[in-house]
Amino acid sequence: MTQPQANIGVVGLAVMGSNLARNLASREGNTVAIFNRSYEKTATLIEQHPEAGFIATSTYEEFAASLQKPRTAIIMVQAGRGTDAVIDALTQVFEPGDIIVDGGNALFTDTIRREAAVRSTGINFVGAGISGGEEGALNGPSIMPGGSAEAWQTLGPILRSIAAVAEGEPCVTHVGTDGAGHFVKMIHNGIEYADMQLIAEGYDLLRRVGGLEPAEIAEIFAEWNTGELESYLIEITAEVLRQVDATTGKPLVDVILDQAGAKGTGAWTVQSALDLGVPVSGIAEAVFARSLSSKPAQRLAARGLPAGSEEWSVTDRAAFVEDVRRALYASKIIAYSQGFDAIVAGAEQYSWDIKKGEIAKIWRAGCIIRAQFLNRITEAYAEDPELVALVTAPYFADAVGGALPAWRRVVSGAALAGIPTPTFASSLSYYDGLRADRLPAALVQGQRDFFGAHTYKRVDQEGTFHTLWSGDRSEISATDAH
Ligand code: 6PG
């Protein structure tokens, strides 16, 4: 029987799992047990990385026996049924007090269900969002664990040892109980979708209106990466645009099929936000933009439809580039503001004590949306923990206010020129809706009352009202009406 030598185990040795296991093994004080459904992957990892000192196991029993108590295992398998199968197997061989961590991109409601089921056995279950892709898993991801405070006691030091570090602080915090970690990871991904789409819309404008080539746009993005837009996604965009296709000699971006894929976390964000009643319009448009791109038959059928557009000729290219930069920054602020609104609503709905400023902090390094900008979000919540919308914080209100003329020029110019900017445009519309003194929602209430007697409230009197629309059109209060 294997001696219990390992303080942490990893189940699932595909790229993310192996990299996370290697990351764990590289940190002082960690000994890592590894297990994979087929032993072949385990054997390969041991062979390729003898320096890691892995403890290889070939059965769940052996895996459990190799772990010190409380046993702690991180599952890195594909979200879905595979995760349930591994959890079932581990609960057979683990004991009360042990900890099972799901490090995959699980849907947070699945995590809530799994946590309750596993807790009934006395074993702790922690759903942990892990962001940063393969490279992050190896060198330091941003980690968003949920689960119990008891599990966090044991898990905290281990996760702190492998997380990315931003300004001396590890990018991991106990987000909240049960599904809170996976919920916040889901919102991270939703924001990631919006951020990527915004950058793509900016690129499209620079190319089609500014007449710039990918390599030139790469230089512009590299320049933007030194200012307030500084972020991983801007940085890698410059790299992608610089890349030349080895076969054709063309910019690689021109030979990549323009149909964006999606594994589903963006759609989950929007579905959850719809349930919570939170307008995450920027994220939704980004998800839909990918869906539209991936409808080749419809796109082909619609290709010849009239454009009805006007020429957008740019006389001052530098000024145009700056307009696009400002529109991108303002839209980005809206996307983050909406994402944090969803976090607030989720926390309220599921009774999670989520510290918004802490979330912004752990997104500063390691994850895909990492950016300097997140420091401003942390500061905004530190100044006013009850902030009702991020966009109303002085720093962001000023930034958006300063960008407005440029933002309006870009959105209106794109509409006239027939260039799609769904995320730029919807973010501007959201902003105008949010700041409006009065919205046409009053008319919608009138319509609802007309056809369905859904009632309405008045601006000048307390109570609920219904109008007898087809009669003498007099108002009666709802309580009288029913
Ligand atoms: C991360 C990423 C990662 C993955 C997403 C995006 O935080 O490391 O978000 O989780 O790349 O699932 O995938 P899709 O774009 O395919 O939906």
Side-chain angles (χ1 to χ4, degrees), residues 240-256:
V240 172
L241 291 173
R242 259 185 214 127
Q243 195 73 27
V244 172
D245 176 44
T247 316
T248 59
K250 291 181 182 168
L252 184 66
V253 71
D254 287 348
V255 297
I256 297 177

Side-chain angles (χ1 to χ4, degrees), residues 41-63:
K41 278 213 169 88
T42 313
T44 311
L45 190 62
I46 299 223
E47 196 185 306
Q48 288 175 346
H49 296 284
E51 79 289 350
F54 289 129
I55 299 176
T57 63
S58 58
T59 63
Y60 278 110
E61 287 74 16
E62 223 186 300
F63 179 71

Side-chain angles (χ1 to χ4, degrees), residues 396-441:
F396 294 111
D398 282 356
V400 170
L404 273 170
W407 200 8
R408 294 197 191 285
R409 275 194 295 274
V410 168
V411 169
S412 58
L416 285 172
I419 297 172
T421 53
T423 313
F424 277 10
S426 72
S427 302
L428 178 57
S429 230
Y430 167 86
Y431 174 77
D432 282 332
L434 200 62
R435 64 171 195 86
D437 284 339
R438 216 165 138 68
L439 290 168

